[in-house]
Amino acid sequence: MKLNGRRMSSNVEDRRGLSTGTKAGIGGIGGIIIIALMTFLSGGDLGDVVNNVVQNGGLSNLQTEVPAGQREFSEEEEQLATECKQILASTEDVWTEVFRENGFGEYQPPTLVLFTNSVNSACGSATAAVGPFYCSGDQKLYIDLSFFTEMKKQLGVEGNTFAYAYVIAHEIGHHVEYSLGILGQAHEQMRRLDKKQANQVSVRLELLADYYAGVWAHYEDAKNHSLEYGDMEKGLELAKAIGDDWLQKQAQGYAQPESFTHGTSAQRKRWLKQGFDTGDMTTTTFKGDI
């Protein structure tokens, strides 16, 4: 994905180097990246993520404090920060136009929070282990950039910016759901359902966020011709790698469909690709067939 010369969003809080709290132990983030992706990558519950990580031995009870004045970061991390800000800027441009064209009102963009090790949000406290997440309580997207570093190692997306963009665009997709009132409706419905039925609603929300990520890529590429050969294929590979069935089979040898909260690999690939192919904002997996 070509981002050279693109503007960077100013809707960013850089809290890197200011975090304290529990962190991943030796080999921690690398060892639990799949757990975090399966449980949280796309808007799961913070408590569920922490419980799953702890149950799988991913966290140690270490404490760390980085002095507030220590703000030196590697060249790789600074490049990732720049790309995240550029991708965020692209989502702002695309969704502003899409909202206006479809009569949704003015798009109010979320804030990107970059943090190190741990962070406090309106949805609770989280460590880097949970991966990127969107909190509707404060309309902010939280990212520890070490997630992308480990994602490169664990999922083989070295050098493919679109893979990072898909992750960010998916979380922005949850903000679009929030802005359109879909997220609130779904959460209200989930509170009235049993766990199995609530999981089905969760799957719809996650697939819709995948679809919205595809819609963003559709208009981003149409406007800027930024996607390069193989970008969408790499995004679809990532969508496959974070499907509930694939992850459960990798972790325990079999899948439990009743426990799915994010959708199968086939579903995630299909909805990302359909959003990209059509750019159609009349489609919603929350109300429609998954």
Side-chain angles (χ1 to χ4, degrees), residues 58 162 173 175 193 218 233 243:
F162 183 72
H175 180 68
L193 300 173
H218 172 95
E233 286 71 18

Side-chain angles (χ1 to χ4, degrees), residues 21-189:
T22 305
K23 62 182 291 187
I26 297 174
I29 296 175
I32 61 161
I33 193 77
I34 296 300
I35 301 170
L37 282 167
M38 178 170 66
T39 314
F40 198 98
L41 177 63
S42 316
D45 179 78
L46 277 173
D48 290 342
V49 176
V50 174
N51 289 336
N52 285 348
V53 169
V54 172
Q55 289 169 8
N56 285 273
L59 293 181
S60 61
N61 194 28
L62 298 177
Q63 297 291 315
T64 181
E65 181 172 347
V66 181
Q70 186 176 321
R71 305 280 288 180
E72 296 181 3
F73 307 105
S74 68
E75 182 178 346
E76 178 186 22
E77 181 164 343
E78 286 299 87
Q79 179 61 32
L80 284 171
T82 295
E83 290 174 351
C84 286
K85 294 173 185 178
Q86 290 173 320
I87 293 164
L88 183 66
S90 170
T91 66
E92 292 167 353
D93 295 341
V94 166
W95 287 114
T96 294
E97 291 186 11
V98 169
F99 267 50
R100 289 174 180 173
E101 290 174 359
N102 288 273
F104 297 151
E106 283 299 307
Y107 176 69
Q108 301 298 321
T111 297
L112 170 64
V113 178
L114 300 177
F115 70 94
T116 304
N117 294 330
S118 62
V119 70
N120 293 320
S121 77
C123 297
S125 299
T127 69
V130 305
F133 67 95
Y134 170 73
C135 175
S136 61
D138 52 23
Q139 294 92 63
K140 293 181 179 181
L141 168 64
Y142 294 83
I143 297 177
D144 183 315
L145 295 173
S146 65
F147 178 88
F148 290 128
T149 302
E150 292 299 330
M151 193 174 80
K152 289 191 296 185
K153 298 176 184 177
Q154 298 291 325
L155 300 178
V157 294
E158 180 77 38
N160 190 277
T161 306
F162 183 72
Y164 313 143
Y166 164 45
V167 173
I168 294 172
H170 176 101
E171 300 303 338
I172 295 296
H174 286 304
H175 180 68
V176 173
E177 292 173 342
Y178 169 81
S179 301
L180 296 177
I182 296 171
L183 195 61
Q185 294 172 25
H187 286 168
E188 178 61 31
Q189 182 178 345

Side-chain angles (χ1 to χ4, degrees), residues 232-283:
M232 180 51 63
E233 286 71 18
K234 184 61 69 173
L236 292 172
E237 288 177 18
L238 179 56
K240 174 184 176 181
I242 57 177
D244 284 328
D245 55 339
W246 191 93
L247 288 167
Q248 289 187 0
K249 288 176 182 177
Q250 294 297 309
Q252 60 192 23
Y254 59 93
Q256 295 175 288
E258 69 277 3
S259 68
F260 290 174
T261 58
H262 291 70
T264 67
S265 294
Q267 288 172 328
R268 301 201 70 166
K269 289 174 61 178
R270 176 160 61 93
W271 285 104
L272 173 63
K273 185 65 161 55
Q274 186 168 324
F276 178 72
D277 288 343
T278 68
D280 180 10
M281 284 300 291
T282 65
T283 297

